[in-house]
mmCIF file of all heavy atoms in Angstrom:
data_model
loop_
_atom_site.group_PDB
_atom_site.id
_atom_site.type_symbol
_atom_site.label_atom_id
_atom_site.label_comp_id
_atom_site.label_asym_id
_atom_site.label_seq_id
_atom_site.Cartn_x
_atom_site.Cartn_y
_atom_site.Cartn_z
ATOM 1 N N SER A 16 0.831 -1.211 0.000
ATOM 2 C CA SER A 16 0.000 0.000 0.000
ATOM 3 C C SER A 16 0.860 1.253 0.000
ATOM 4 O O SER A 16 0.676 2.160 -0.827
ATOM 5 C CB SER A 16 -0.934 -0.005 1.210
ATOM 6 O OG SER A 16 -1.797 -1.122 1.176
ATOM 7 N N ASP A 17 1.812 1.321 0.931
ATOM 8 C CA ASP A 17 2.719 2.469 0.981
ATOM 9 C C ASP A 17 3.557 2.550 -0.291
ATOM 10 O O ASP A 17 3.813 3.644 -0.822
ATOM 11 C CB ASP A 17 3.645 2.372 2.193
ATOM 12 C CG ASP A 17 2.952 2.784 3.480
ATOM 13 O OD1 ASP A 17 1.822 3.291 3.401
ATOM 14 O OD2 ASP A 17 3.539 2.594 4.555
ATOM 15 N N LEU A 18 3.983 1.394 -0.786
ATOM 16 C CA LEU A 18 4.823 1.377 -1.984
ATOM 17 C C LEU A 18 4.056 1.911 -3.188
ATOM 18 O O LEU A 18 4.581 2.746 -3.953
ATOM 19 C CB LEU A 18 5.307 -0.042 -2.256
ATOM 20 C CG LEU A 18 6.183 -0.229 -3.489
ATOM 21 C CD1 LEU A 18 7.455 0.609 -3.391
ATOM 22 C CD2 LEU A 18 6.526 -1.706 -3.678
ATOM 23 N N ALA A 19 2.827 1.461 -3.374
ATOM 24 C CA ALA A 19 2.027 1.934 -4.505
ATOM 25 C C ALA A 19 1.811 3.439 -4.416
ATOM 26 O O ALA A 19 1.852 4.148 -5.433
ATOM 27 C CB ALA A 19 0.685 1.209 -4.534
ATOM 28 N N ASN A 20 1.626 3.942 -3.205
ATOM 29 C CA ASN A 20 1.437 5.381 -3.020
ATOM 30 C C ASN A 20 2.698 6.147 -3.420
ATOM 31 O O ASN A 20 2.631 7.159 -4.129
ATOM 32 C CB ASN A 20 1.086 5.661 -1.564
ATOM 33 C CG ASN A 20 0.795 7.128 -1.305
ATOM 34 O OD1 ASN A 20 -0.183 7.668 -1.792
ATOM 35 N ND2 ASN A 20 1.657 7.781 -0.529
ATOM 36 N N ASP A 21 3.850 5.651 -2.979
ATOM 37 C CA ASP A 21 5.110 6.328 -3.306
ATOM 38 C C ASP A 21 5.424 6.266 -4.797
ATOM 39 O O ASP A 21 6.063 7.170 -5.349
ATOM 40 C CB ASP A 21 6.266 5.701 -2.517
ATOM 41 C CG ASP A 21 6.286 6.122 -1.062
ATOM 42 O OD1 ASP A 21 5.424 6.939 -0.665
ATOM 43 O OD2 ASP A 21 7.153 5.638 -0.314
ATOM 44 N N LEU A 22 4.992 5.206 -5.433
ATOM 45 C CA LEU A 22 5.240 5.042 -6.869
ATOM 46 C C LEU A 22 4.278 5.859 -7.718
ATOM 47 O O LEU A 22 4.455 5.960 -8.936
ATOM 48 C CB LEU A 22 5.114 3.563 -7.261
ATOM 49 C CG LEU A 22 6.186 2.609 -6.727
ATOM 50 C CD1 LEU A 22 5.837 1.176 -7.093
ATOM 51 C CD2 LEU A 22 7.563 2.972 -7.244
ATOM 52 N N HIS A 23 3.246 6.420 -7.085
ATOM 53 C CA HIS A 23 2.163 7.099 -7.810
ATOM 54 C C HIS A 23 1.482 6.124 -8.761
ATOM 55 O O HIS A 23 1.024 6.503 -9.843
ATOM 56 C CB HIS A 23 2.676 8.312 -8.586
ATOM 57 C CG HIS A 23 3.390 9.303 -7.735
ATOM 58 N ND1 HIS A 23 4.144 10.321 -8.266
ATOM 59 C CD2 HIS A 23 3.489 9.457 -6.383
ATOM 60 C CE1 HIS A 23 4.670 11.042 -7.295
ATOM 61 N NE2 HIS A 23 4.280 10.545 -6.139
ATOM 62 N N ALA A 24 1.432 4.850 -8.335
ATOM 63 C CA ALA A 24 0.854 3.816 -9.184
ATOM 64 C C ALA A 24 -0.662 3.781 -9.029
ATOM 65 O O ALA A 24 -1.200 4.001 -7.948
ATOM 66 C CB ALA A 24 1.440 2.453 -8.804
ATOM 67 N N ARG A 25 -1.336 3.486 -10.109
ATOM 68 C CA ARG A 25 -2.785 3.337 -10.075
ATOM 69 C C ARG A 25 -3.132 1.900 -9.693
ATOM 70 O O ARG A 25 -2.439 0.955 -10.106
ATOM 71 C CB ARG A 25 -3.392 3.678 -11.429
ATOM 72 C CG ARG A 25 -3.128 5.100 -11.882
ATOM 73 C CD ARG A 25 -3.833 5.408 -13.188
ATOM 74 N NE ARG A 25 -5.292 5.369 -13.029
ATOM 75 C CZ ARG A 25 -6.143 5.548 -14.041
ATOM 76 N NH1 ARG A 25 -5.682 5.769 -15.267
ATOM 77 N NH2 ARG A 25 -7.439 5.495 -13.835
ATOM 78 N N PRO A 26 -4.186 1.692 -8.891
ATOM 79 C CA PRO A 26 -4.564 0.319 -8.519
ATOM 80 C C PRO A 26 -5.061 -0.466 -9.723
ATOM 81 O O PRO A 26 -5.890 0.024 -10.500
ATOM 82 C CB PRO A 26 -5.689 0.530 -7.496
ATOM 83 C CG PRO A 26 -6.223 1.890 -7.796
ATOM 84 C CD PRO A 26 -5.083 2.704 -8.295
ATOM 85 N N THR A 27 -4.557 -1.658 -9.895
ATOM 86 C CA THR A 27 -4.994 -2.536 -10.985
ATOM 87 C C THR A 27 -5.217 -3.932 -10.419
ATOM 88 O O THR A 27 -4.567 -4.335 -9.451
ATOM 89 C CB THR A 27 -3.952 -2.613 -12.111
ATOM 90 O OG1 THR A 27 -2.750 -3.211 -11.606
ATOM 91 C CG2 THR A 27 -3.630 -1.235 -12.668
ATOM 92 N N SER A 28 -6.114 -4.673 -11.023
ATOM 93 C CA SER A 28 -6.435 -6.008 -10.515
ATOM 94 C C SER A 28 -5.274 -6.977 -10.653
ATOM 95 O O SER A 28 -5.152 -7.928 -9.879
ATOM 96 C CB SER A 28 -7.656 -6.563 -11.260
ATOM 97 O OG SER A 28 -7.396 -6.662 -12.652
ATOM 98 N N ASP A 29 -4.390 -6.730 -11.617
ATOM 99 C CA ASP A 29 -3.252 -7.636 -11.825
ATOM 100 C C ASP A 29 -1.978 -7.184 -11.099
ATOM 101 O O ASP A 29 -0.947 -7.843 -11.185
ATOM 102 C CB ASP A 29 -2.956 -7.799 -13.316
ATOM 103 C CG ASP A 29 -2.644 -6.473 -14.017
ATOM 104 O OD1 ASP A 29 -2.519 -5.433 -13.321
ATOM 105 O OD2 ASP A 29 -2.542 -6.467 -15.258
ATOM 106 N N ARG A 30 -2.055 -6.054 -10.399
ATOM 107 C CA ARG A 30 -0.915 -5.486 -9.647
ATOM 108 C C ARG A 30 0.320 -5.273 -10.540
ATOM 109 O O ARG A 30 1.458 -5.317 -10.056
ATOM 110 C CB ARG A 30 -0.549 -6.369 -8.442
ATOM 111 C CG ARG A 30 -1.639 -6.514 -7.423
ATOM 112 C CD ARG A 30 -1.106 -6.981 -6.088
ATOM 113 N NE ARG A 30 -0.517 -8.293 -6.145
ATOM 114 C CZ ARG A 30 0.095 -8.877 -5.103
ATOM 115 N NH1 ARG A 30 0.180 -8.254 -3.945
ATOM 116 N NH2 ARG A 30 0.610 -10.079 -5.216
ATOM 117 N N LEU A 31 0.079 -5.060 -11.812
ATOM 118 C CA LEU A 31 1.176 -4.882 -12.752
ATOM 119 C C LEU A 31 2.167 -3.797 -12.323
ATOM 120 O O LEU A 31 3.381 -3.990 -12.450
ATOM 121 C CB LEU A 31 0.625 -4.592 -14.149
ATOM 122 C CG LEU A 31 1.656 -4.461 -15.276
ATOM 123 C CD1 LEU A 31 2.460 -5.745 -15.424
ATOM 124 C CD2 LEU A 31 0.960 -4.117 -16.582
ATOM 125 N N PRO A 32 1.723 -2.638 -11.784
ATOM 126 C CA PRO A 32 2.691 -1.612 -11.391
ATOM 127 C C PRO A 32 3.642 -2.047 -10.279
ATOM 128 O O PRO A 32 4.703 -1.444 -10.099
ATOM 129 C CB PRO A 32 1.799 -0.453 -10.909
ATOM 130 C CG PRO A 32 0.487 -0.676 -11.572
ATOM 131 C CD PRO A 32 0.334 -2.158 -11.644
ATOM 132 N N LEU A 33 3.272 -3.107 -9.553
ATOM 133 C CA LEU A 33 4.089 -3.561 -8.423
ATOM 134 C C LEU A 33 4.951 -4.773 -8.752
ATOM 135 O O LEU A 33 5.779 -5.181 -7.926
ATOM 136 C CB LEU A 33 3.186 -3.920 -7.238
ATOM 137 C CG LEU A 33 2.358 -2.788 -6.631
ATOM 138 C CD1 LEU A 33 1.460 -3.333 -5.524
ATOM 139 C CD2 LEU A 33 3.253 -1.683 -6.085
ATOM 140 N N LEU A 34 4.790 -5.351 -9.914
ATOM 141 C CA LEU A 34 5.447 -6.625 -10.198
ATOM 142 C C LEU A 34 6.970 -6.545 -10.144
ATOM 143 O O LEU A 34 7.639 -7.470 -9.679
ATOM 144 C CB LEU A 34 4.999 -7.164 -11.561
ATOM 145 C CG LEU A 34 3.590 -7.747 -11.613
ATOM 146 C CD1 LEU A 34 3.299 -8.327 -12.989
ATOM 147 C CD2 LEU A 34 3.402 -8.805 -10.537
ATOM 148 N N THR A 35 7.533 -5.444 -10.623
ATOM 149 C CA THR A 35 8.995 -5.302 -10.559
ATOM 150 C C THR A 35 9.467 -5.321 -9.121
ATOM 151 O O THR A 35 10.423 -6.033 -8.771
ATOM 152 C CB THR A 35 9.444 -3.997 -11.239
ATOM 153 O OG1 THR A 35 9.116 -4.048 -12.618
ATOM 154 C CG2 THR A 35 10.953 -3.795 -11.081
ATOM 155 N N SER A 36 8.800 -4.580 -8.262
ATOM 156 C CA SER A 36 9.178 -4.522 -6.846
ATOM 157 C C SER A 36 8.986 -5.874 -6.162
ATOM 158 O O SER A 36 9.846 -6.322 -5.391
ATOM 159 C CB SER A 36 8.340 -3.457 -6.128
ATOM 160 O OG SER A 36 8.539 -2.188 -6.692
ATOM 161 N N LEU A 37 7.868 -6.513 -6.437
ATOM 162 C CA LEU A 37 7.618 -7.827 -5.840
ATOM 163 C C LEU A 37 8.698 -8.823 -6.265
ATOM 164 O O LEU A 37 9.232 -9.580 -5.439
ATOM 165 C CB LEU A 37 6.233 -8.338 -6.261
ATOM 166 C CG LEU A 37 5.022 -7.530 -5.786
ATOM 167 C CD1 LEU A 37 3.741 -8.056 -6.428
ATOM 168 C CD2 LEU A 37 4.901 -7.562 -4.268
ATOM 169 N N GLY A 38 9.024 -8.813 -7.540
ATOM 170 C CA GLY A 38 10.040 -9.740 -8.045
ATOM 171 C C GLY A 38 11.412 -9.487 -7.460
ATOM 172 O O GLY A 38 12.133 -10.434 -7.105
ATOM 173 N N LEU A 39 11.801 -8.224 -7.349
ATOM 174 C CA LEU A 39 13.108 -7.900 -6.782
ATOM 175 C C LEU A 39 13.219 -8.384 -5.338
ATOM 176 O O LEU A 39 14.271 -8.882 -4.911
ATOM 177 C CB LEU A 39 13.350 -6.394 -6.847
ATOM 178 C CG LEU A 39 13.695 -5.820 -8.226
ATOM 179 C CD1 LEU A 39 13.716 -4.291 -8.174
ATOM 180 C CD2 LEU A 39 15.042 -6.359 -8.708
ATOM 181 N N CYS A 40 12.136 -8.247 -4.591
ATOM 182 C CA CYS A 40 12.179 -8.656 -3.187
ATOM 183 C C CYS A 40 12.167 -10.174 -3.034
ATOM 184 O O CYS A 40 12.827 -10.719 -2.146
ATOM 185 C CB CYS A 40 11.020 -8.016 -2.415
ATOM 186 S SG CYS A 40 11.236 -6.242 -2.172
ATOM 187 N N VAL A 41 11.433 -10.871 -3.902
ATOM 188 C CA VAL A 41 11.491 -12.334 -3.880
ATOM 189 C C VAL A 41 12.905 -12.811 -4.206
ATOM 190 O O VAL A 41 13.445 -13.719 -3.549
ATOM 191 C CB VAL A 41 10.473 -12.941 -4.868
ATOM 192 C CG1 VAL A 41 10.695 -14.450 -5.018
ATOM 193 C CG2 VAL A 41 9.042 -12.677 -4.392
ATOM 194 N N LEU A 42 13.526 -12.190 -5.205
ATOM 195 C CA LEU A 42 14.909 -12.544 -5.553
ATOM 196 C C LEU A 42 15.847 -12.335 -4.367
ATOM 197 O O LEU A 42 16.683 -13.191 -4.049
ATOM 198 C CB LEU A 42 15.378 -11.695 -6.736
ATOM 199 C CG LEU A 42 14.942 -12.126 -8.130
ATOM 200 C CD1 LEU A 42 15.251 -11.032 -9.140
ATOM 201 C CD2 LEU A 42 15.651 -13.426 -8.525
ATOM 202 N N ALA A 43 15.720 -11.189 -3.704
ATOM 203 C CA ALA A 43 16.588 -10.882 -2.568
ATOM 204 C C ALA A 43 16.377 -11.868 -1.434
ATOM 205 O O ALA A 43 17.340 -12.347 -0.813
ATOM 206 C CB ALA A 43 16.320 -9.457 -2.079
ATOM 207 N N ALA A 44 15.116 -12.195 -1.151
ATOM 208 C CA ALA A 44 14.823 -13.131 -0.065
ATOM 209 C C ALA A 44 15.391 -14.513 -0.367
ATOM 210 O O ALA A 44 16.050 -15.131 0.482
ATOM 211 C CB ALA A 44 13.320 -13.213 0.158
ATOM 212 N N ARG A 45 15.165 -15.007 -1.559
ATOM 213 C CA ARG A 45 15.634 -16.362 -1.883
ATOM 214 C C ARG A 45 17.167 -16.422 -1.970
ATOM 215 O O ARG A 45 17.773 -17.441 -1.621
ATOM 216 C CB ARG A 45 15.016 -16.828 -3.204
ATOM 217 C CG ARG A 45 13.502 -16.933 -3.162
ATOM 218 C CD ARG A 45 13.013 -17.713 -1.962
ATOM 219 N NE ARG A 45 11.553 -17.776 -1.929
ATOM 220 C CZ ARG A 45 10.822 -17.819 -0.832
ATOM 221 N NH1 ARG A 45 11.417 -17.801 0.352
ATOM 222 N NH2 ARG A 45 9.513 -17.891 -0.890
ATOM 223 N N ALA A 46 17.783 -15.332 -2.413
ATOM 224 C CA ALA A 46 19.249 -15.312 -2.478
ATOM 225 C C ALA A 46 19.862 -15.445 -1.095
ATOM 226 O O ALA A 46 20.965 -15.978 -0.945
ATOM 227 C CB ALA A 46 19.729 -14.026 -3.133
ATOM 228 N N CYS A 47 19.144 -14.967 -0.081
ATOM 229 C CA CYS A 47 19.646 -15.017 1.299
ATOM 230 C C CYS A 47 18.946 -16.070 2.141
ATOM 231 O O CYS A 47 19.092 -16.084 3.368
ATOM 232 C CB CYS A 47 19.499 -13.642 1.949
ATOM 233 S SG CYS A 47 20.507 -12.365 1.176
ATOM 234 N N ASP A 48 18.161 -16.938 1.496
ATOM 235 C CA ASP A 48 17.455 -18.025 2.178
ATOM 236 C C ASP A 48 16.518 -17.491 3.260
ATOM 237 O O ASP A 48 16.489 -17.994 4.388
ATOM 238 C CB ASP A 48 18.452 -19.019 2.780
ATOM 239 C CG ASP A 48 17.800 -20.352 3.124
ATOM 240 O OD1 ASP A 48 16.760 -20.665 2.512
ATOM 241 O OD2 ASP A 48 18.312 -21.066 4.003
ATOM 242 N N LEU A 49 15.753 -16.471 2.907
ATOM 243 C CA LEU A 49 14.808 -15.855 3.833
ATOM 244 C C LEU A 49 13.378 -16.173 3.431
ATOM 245 O O LEU A 49 13.102 -16.497 2.274
ATOM 246 C CB LEU A 49 14.972 -14.336 3.843
ATOM 247 C CG LEU A 49 16.343 -13.755 4.150
ATOM 248 C CD1 LEU A 49 16.280 -12.232 4.098
ATOM 249 C CD2 LEU A 49 16.853 -14.236 5.497
ATOM 250 N N ALA A 50 12.467 -16.024 4.375
ATOM 251 C CA ALA A 50 11.038 -16.076 4.065
ATOM 252 C C ALA A 50 10.615 -14.731 3.484
ATOM 253 O O ALA A 50 11.298 -13.720 3.665
ATOM 254 C CB ALA A 50 10.242 -16.373 5.331
ATOM 255 N N ILE A 51 9.470 -14.726 2.796
ATOM 256 C CA ILE A 51 8.950 -13.460 2.269
ATOM 257 C C ILE A 51 7.435 -13.530 2.221
ATOM 258 O O ILE A 51 6.853 -14.525 1.774
ATOM 259 C CB ILE A 51 9.541 -13.117 0.884
ATOM 260 C CG1 ILE A 51 9.025 -11.742 0.425
ATOM 261 C CG2 ILE A 51 9.285 -14.203 -0.142
ATOM 262 C CD1 ILE A 51 9.819 -11.140 -0.725
ATOM 263 N N LEU A 52 6.802 -12.453 2.710
ATOM 264 C CA LEU A 52 5.348 -12.377 2.789
ATOM 265 C C LEU A 52 4.826 -11.288 1.861
ATOM 266 O O LEU A 52 5.372 -10.187 1.813
ATOM 267 C CB LEU A 52 4.916 -12.074 4.227
ATOM 268 C CG LEU A 52 5.362 -13.076 5.292
ATOM 269 C CD1 LEU A 52 4.973 -12.580 6.680
ATOM 270 C CD2 LEU A 52 4.772 -14.454 5.020
ATOM 271 N N ASP A 53 3.751 -11.594 1.173
ATOM 272 C CA ASP A 53 3.123 -10.640 0.267
ATOM 273 C C ASP A 53 2.351 -9.591 1.070
ATOM 274 O O ASP A 53 2.011 -9.789 2.233
ATOM 275 C CB ASP A 53 2.192 -11.399 -0.682
ATOM 276 C CG ASP A 53 1.844 -10.619 -1.933
ATOM 277 O OD1 ASP A 53 2.300 -9.468 -2.061
ATOM 278 O OD2 ASP A 53 1.107 -11.171 -2.771
ATOM 279 N N GLY A 54 2.056 -8.467 0.418
ATOM 280 C CA GLY A 54 1.360 -7.371 1.072
ATOM 281 C C GLY A 54 -0.130 -7.619 1.248
ATOM 282 O O GLY A 54 -0.688 -8.590 0.731
ATOM 283 N N VAL A 55 -0.790 -6.728 1.959
ATOM 284 C CA VAL A 55 -2.206 -6.884 2.280
ATOM 285 C C VAL A 55 -3.087 -6.532 1.080
ATOM 286 O O VAL A 55 -2.671 -5.806 0.179
ATOM 287 C CB VAL A 55 -2.598 -5.995 3.483
ATOM 288 C CG1 VAL A 55 -1.768 -6.355 4.702
ATOM 289 C CG2 VAL A 55 -2.449 -4.512 3.156
ATOM 290 N N HIS A 56 -4.306 -7.054 1.122
ATOM 291 C CA HIS A 56 -5.346 -6.694 0.152
ATOM 292 C C HIS A 56 -6.365 -5.872 0.923
ATOM 293 O O HIS A 56 -7.007 -6.364 1.861
ATOM 294 C CB HIS A 56 -5.986 -7.966 -0.428
ATOM 295 C CG HIS A 56 -6.979 -7.713 -1.508
ATOM 296 N ND1 HIS A 56 -6.605 -7.440 -2.813
ATOM 297 C CD2 HIS A 56 -8.335 -7.669 -1.502
ATOM 298 C CE1 HIS A 56 -7.685 -7.273 -3.558
ATOM 299 N NE2 HIS A 56 -8.744 -7.391 -2.777
ATOM 300 N N LEU A 57 -6.521 -4.608 0.556
ATOM 301 C CA LEU A 57 -7.273 -3.676 1.382
ATOM 302 C C LEU A 57 -8.792 -3.773 1.238
ATOM 303 O O LEU A 57 -9.523 -3.418 2.172
ATOM 304 C CB LEU A 57 -6.835 -2.240 1.065
ATOM 305 C CG LEU A 57 -5.395 -1.879 1.441
ATOM 306 C CD1 LEU A 57 -5.093 -0.450 1.000
ATOM 307 C CD2 LEU A 57 -5.159 -2.041 2.937
ATOM 308 N N ASP A 58 -9.290 -4.226 0.099
ATOM 309 C CA ASP A 58 -10.725 -4.248 -0.150
ATOM 310 C C ASP A 58 -11.326 -5.542 0.392
ATOM 311 O O ASP A 58 -11.316 -6.585 -0.258
ATOM 312 C CB ASP A 58 -10.998 -4.111 -1.646
ATOM 313 C CG ASP A 58 -12.477 -3.932 -1.962
ATOM 314 O OD1 ASP A 58 -13.301 -4.088 -1.042
ATOM 315 O OD2 ASP A 58 -12.802 -3.634 -3.131
#
């Protein structure tokens, strides 16, 4: 939610504006053998 606001991204059902950020964080977590949790769904 905070990330989308900072990006000035418009809400979309496919979360396309967030996919780059989500992917980068999954990569970082797996590279360091960490867990990773997805963000909340507000509606």
Side-chain angles (χ1 to χ4, degrees):
S16 299
D17 282 351
L18 179 60
N20 183 67
D21 284 358
L22 292 175
H23 304 167
R25 299 184 65 183
T27 64
S28 60
D29 58 7
R30 298 199 297 176
L31 183 60
L33 297 177
L34 286 184
T35 296
S36 300
L37 296 173
L39 285 172
C40 289
V41 170
L42 280 169
R45 297 310 179 212
C47 295
D48 197 24
L49 304 180
I51 183 164
L52 301 175
D53 199 358
V55 301
H56 185 79
L57 294 177
D58 188 351

